Amino acid sequence: MPGDPVPKGRPRVYRGHGVTPSRTRIAESRVRADFMAKYPDRVTLTGPVEVYAEFWKAKRGRPDLDNLVKLVIDALNGIAYVDDEQVKTLQAVQYEPDRIVKGRRPGTWRKRRPGDPYTRHGVQYEPHTYIRITPLPEWDPRKSTPTSTSTQLKEES
């Protein structure tokens, strides 16, 4: 998904009712729309899933990784998987642009300024979010036998 990632906002409570901020609603709908456009023939997963997410940011600092992950997990609820309780494994990484960039003269370095290309360890990138959702296998004792498990035998004296 192109663009700088947006974090999940805190719901505000008005007269006893929680209201999701409009920025969060818009970001979630953008994630859903991008996911549905990229995977038009998708099948909503019903078993346990693993989610891997990379957030390539345009600036350092906020938003926090956990808020970015919450937005993605909630946005794909009911689309990629039936319910977010199916997420059993989660891996997430956020990449921020380098603080120091190459100067105009060869071999020189300087602090990043607005308008500089985004780089991570000197390699240029565009801010985006990458998400991979993988179904996890479920063990069914009727279909297979368990793999080697360590069994300790108790010695009797």
Side-chain angles (χ1 to χ4, degrees):
M1 289 174 275
D4 202 24
V6 176
K8 175 90 175 181
R10 293 191 175 167
R12 306 290 183 223
V13 179
Y14 301 101
R15 297 182 186 171
H17 297 285
V19 177
T20 302
S22 63
R23 183 175 178 200
T24 298
R25 286 195 312 270
I26 291 167
E28 285 180 348
S29 65
R30 191 178 81 206
V31 169
R32 281 192 293 274
D34 287 349
F35 185 80
M36 290 188 294
K38 186 162 183 150
Y39 303 104
D41 299 330
R42 75 193 172 286
V43 174
T44 304
L45 301 172
T46 56
V49 297
E50 173 185 65
V51 176
Y52 174 80
E54 289 180 3
F55 301 96
W56 293 80
K57 295 169 44 176
K59 60 183 180 181
R60 300 183 71 82
R62 291 189 176 259
D64 297 338
L65 182 60
D66 61 326
N67 291 325
L68 295 170
V69 169
K70 280 189 266 187
L71 182 116
V72 168
I73 297 289
D74 289 348
L76 297 178
N77 202 15
I79 297 172
Y81 35 81
V82 177
D83 190 63
D84 57 6
E85 67 129 16
Q86 293 170 243
V87 178
K88 302 302 180 191
T89 304
L90 174 64
Q91 295 179 21
V93 183
Q94 71 177 349
Y95 297 105
E96 298 178 329
D98 296 329
R99 292 178 193 259
I100 305 295
V101 297
K102 288 185 178 182
R104 288 182 186 239
R105 292 180 307 207
T108 62
W109 299 89
R110 64 172 175 77
K111 288 185 179 180
R112 165 177 299 292
R113 291 186 217 142
D116 285 339
Y118 303 108
T119 58
R120 165 90 174 139
H121 296 171
V123 178
Q124 193 169 341
Y125 71 89
E126 287 299 318
H128 68 283
T129 300
Y130 170 78
I131 301 164
R132 182 181 66 229
I133 301 169
T134 310
L136 293 173
E138 289 187 87
W139 181 69
D140 186 345
R142 297 168 293 186
K143 294 182 181 176
S144 64
T145 58
T147 56
S148 63
T149 57
S150 61
T151 306
Q152 293 181 347
L153 297 176
K154 186 176 181 181
E155 287 185 26
E156 293 186 31
S157 44

